[in-house]
Amino acid sequence: MDKIIPAHVGIIMDGNGRWAARRGLVRTQGHLEGLKASKRIVKAASDLGIKYLTLYAFSTENWKRTSEEVSFIMGLVKKYLKSEFEFSKKNKIRTRYAGDMAGLPPGIQKELKTSMAETAGFTGMQVILAINYGGRDEIVRAVNKFILASSADKQVLNEKDICAHLDNPDIPDPDLIIRTAGEYRTSNFLLWQGAYSEIYISDKMWPEWEKEDFEAAITAFQKRDRRYGGIKT
Ligand code: IPE
Ligand code: IPE
Ligand code: MG
């Protein structure tokens, strides 16, 4: 069995609200603890030699929540971006973004752009923050980018055209997608790129996630038999 480290891992960080509710706390407290878990897992992934880590932090559907909860999450994102530079520098971690940035509050857009610019030269792991991200939205935006960029002689798209207009065309498809809090659905995460991703579902709530849980997911991935529709002899 080859102990291959996946190049790209995506995480649907779910269960912050339930974690809080079970302790008689407000949902926002769960998001605060969820942020701490994100920091632990970024470090764990970087130490393992993961090249790309996509963190699903806020979906295009999460705007349905109360304005208090949405503002709290946006505030946390901003705080995270502002405070992580030293950590990123030390660990050579580069910040990237996936989603529709134009739909984010201007303050967050500014911090995201600053963080991406300041870390652009870092050669370690790349952390892709998926905020106001939806897989369907990304595909629609990709098709529209294609239409805007294409000349009159090219009016039919193929898979390569779609890939080339996704949010981060240089990043390989995720090898592994992790979902915490025991839910068996994609909730609109990396629909195009996840076609052949291995899926790992954990019952633990995101705020409870430790380095060992991430390592267990990687070990489980290493036991998978990836066939991509073919046959392995
Ligand atoms: C994940 O936790 C964080 C976001 C979706 C922003 P939830 O807030 O969805 O927590 P649950 O699923 O309600 O427990
Ligand atoms: C998915 O979790 C989105 C993020 C983790 C950012 P949700 O809590 O929004 O998903 P559903 O509503 O359970 O499908
Ligand atoms: Mg949830």
Side-chain angles (χ1 to χ4, degrees):
M1 191 180 62
D2 48 354
K3 289 257 192 287
I4 279 185
I5 294 291
H8 183 180
V9 178
I11 310 183
I12 304 170
M13 310 181 289
D14 198 18
N16 292 352
R18 276 165 284 172
W19 178 91
R22 283 175 193 175
R23 284 160 182 78
L25 302 168
V26 286
R27 291 180 57 85
T28 48
Q29 194 64 34
H31 296 310
L32 198 62
E33 290 304 314
L35 174 64
K36 293 181 193 165
S38 309
K39 292 183 185 183
R40 291 196 291 274
I41 301 310
V42 165
K43 179 78 171 72
S46 164
D47 289 347
L48 276 178
I50 306 288
K51 289 199 170 72
Y52 306 92
L53 180 72
T54 299
L55 298 177
Y56 199 13
F58 195 88
S59 74
T60 46
E61 287 71 50
N62 286 147
W63 300 102
K64 292 174 186 167
R65 300 184 180 199
T66 65
S67 59
E68 288 80 14
E69 184 169 343
V70 170
S71 314
F72 189 87
I73 295 170
M74 293 301 157
L76 276 185
V77 170
K78 205 164 154 183
K79 212 170 91 184
Y80 171 83
L81 289 166
K82 273 188 169 209
S83 66
E84 283 314 276
F85 180 71
E86 283 309 317
F87 173 83
S88 298
K89 192 175 165 189
K90 190 166 167 234
N91 295 280
K92 302 186 173 66
I93 292 172
R94 179 175 167 195
T95 306
R96 308 275 304 258
Y97 173 75
D100 186 3
M101 202 190 280
L104 287 174
I108 309 272
Q109 293 188 34
K110 184 172 158 267
E111 290 304 331
L112 269 170
K113 285 175 190 161
T114 303
S115 178
M116 288 194 284
E118 284 179 347
T119 64
F122 294 171
T123 54
M125 185 173 78
Q126 303 192 14
V127 174
I128 302 100
L129 299 172
I131 312 168
N132 193 25
Y133 176 86
R136 288 185 175 185
D137 180 66
E138 185 185 18
I139 295 167
V140 170
R141 286 186 294 102
V143 172
N144 284 326
K145 280 184 223 169
F146 170 86
I147 293 169
L148 280 175
S150 65
S151 52
D153 58 313
K154 182 120 176 40
Q155 290 183 344
V156 178
L157 293 104
N158 57 32
E159 288 194 10
K160 269 190 188 146
D161 295 321
I162 302 246
C163 289
H165 294 86
L166 291 173
D167 289 342
N168 295 293
D170 62 303
I171 298 179
D173 289 344
D175 302 291
L176 171 65
I177 291 178
I178 297 171
R179 180 158 190 158
T180 64
E183 232 62 81
Y184 286 67
R185 52 176 174 261
T186 65
S187 301
N188 209 3
F189 185 54
L190 300 178
L191 296 183
W192 179 276
Q193 301 90 330
Y196 274 98
S197 302
E198 295 297 324
I199 315 282
Y200 179 86
I201 293 173
S202 155
D203 283 334
K204 267 201 186 178
M205 301 294 131
W206 179 246
E208 299 170 322
W209 260 57
E210 299 286 345
K211 170 174 159 261
E212 290 74 20
D213 298 296
F214 187 77
E215 288 167 356
I218 302 303
T219 304
F221 168 83
Q222 288 166 339
K223 292 177 186 151
R224 301 286 175 88
D225 181 15
R226 304 185 80 186
R227 291 187 294 275
Y228 301 94
I231 298 165
K232 245 188 190 160
T233 45

